[in-house]
Amino acid sequence: MPSGPIVADTRVLAIASHVVYGYVGNTMAAFVMQTLGCDVAALNTVQFSNHTGYKQFTGTKASAEEISDLYAGLKQSYLTDFDVLLSGYAPGAESVDAIGAIARDLKLKASTKAGSFFWVLDPVMGDQGRLYVKEDVVPIYRNLLRDADLILPNQFEAELLSEVNITSLSTLKDAIAKLHKAHRIPHIIVTSIRLPHSPSTMSIIGSTARSDFSPRVFKIDVPAIDCFFSGTGDMFAALTIVRLREAATEANLSSTKSWVSQDHVEAVNLPLAKASEKVLGSMHAVLMKTKKARDKELEGMGGSLGTMEREKDSEKRLGLRRTKAAEVRVVRCLEDLRNPQMQWTAEALDEGATREQGPGPGLEAC
């Protein structure tokens, strides 16, 4: 059982949203990475009172100029010695463009030393067929793909980026192949896939490209949890950074461009697959404990209504309490972050496994 940092000295610039209450965006990602030993600099794209799942919030969005200015302030004091960039939610096309410029600057700075900088791009645009952002954001993200080392779209976002209509595991594999080939992306994980033939299972599908950018695709299934959580995508991204850096180091890939394994390494033995197994082990334990605490809290709401619940906005108040009860209890689950349950393993996704299986909507809420 490791007691010290999981990885060697790792400096991460995390560009994402921030909330005062709860754990989504940088509030989630920074905590998780710091818990596992990373030094995190958080550049916040929005500052909200709480996440949008509450259906009401206050706060402000950072402009593209403000995002660029904060990075310029880091540069002028020589504070940009980052090993990893994690980029998440950005409030508009200009902000996404500004984040892309930051990523390219950091990549250029590290270009003389292979493997010394790694960009994880979480293209937060929407889910289950619905955009969270304006349509002009989609082509901006598409233009950034070639510079990313790892992208973490959900099924809907993978469809937007690849321009492949995903109706089955076979077409999902086609989308991954196109993203590898057309945009030269080294690593891809498509998150939160649910299949109609197995509604009690949640899947992720990942791939690391070979030297010809053909895919090496794996799948990991975990039991689905009947609860809506916010911030799970941010937790997944943060854990993936740590566990992939750990696995790449163990595979002696730290000085290899984008930490890509040689072509002979099979899908299930990829560092990305090994990292994903640990990530899902941690997440499942944290979310199960969150659901247990949520259920207990909701049971306590079953008695007589309080004064606020008897008022005319009682239905709204009840919804707010239910959303609050489902806030991820990540701060109470440090051992699960550090020592994941290794219950689920990657399997190669061969051609025979991809036919006539249609992915359904994911549960992830970012």
Side-chain angles (χ1 to χ4, degrees), residues 123-192:
V124 182
M125 294 183 287
D127 199 1
Q128 300 186 37
R130 183 174 68 89
L131 278 171
Y132 302 150
V133 295
K134 293 183 179 179
E135 290 185 3
D136 62 352
V137 168
V138 179
I140 302 298
Y141 269 123
R142 203 176 287 134
N143 289 338
L144 296 182
L145 295 179
R146 187 173 289 263
D147 294 303
D149 296 288
L150 165 64
I151 64 169
L152 301 173
N154 58 35
Q155 178 197 326
F156 176 60
E157 292 159 346
E159 192 170 71
L160 291 172
L161 294 172
S162 67
E163 299 178 281
V164 172
N165 184 27
I166 298 172
T167 58
S168 65
L169 282 180
S170 181
T171 52
L172 177 54
K173 189 175 177 181
D174 291 341
I176 289 173
K178 182 177 179 181
L179 288 168
H180 276 316
K181 201 79 170 181
H183 300 283
R184 324 297 275 184
I185 305 169
H187 307 279
I188 300 167
I189 299 177
V190 182
T191 61
S192 299

Side-chain angles (χ1 to χ4, degrees), residues 190-208:
V190 182
T191 61
S192 299
I193 300 164
R194 296 196 72 183
L195 309 175
H197 71 281
S198 185
S200 62
T201 299
M202 175 79 72
S203 303
I204 67 141
I205 296 178
S207 175
T208 294

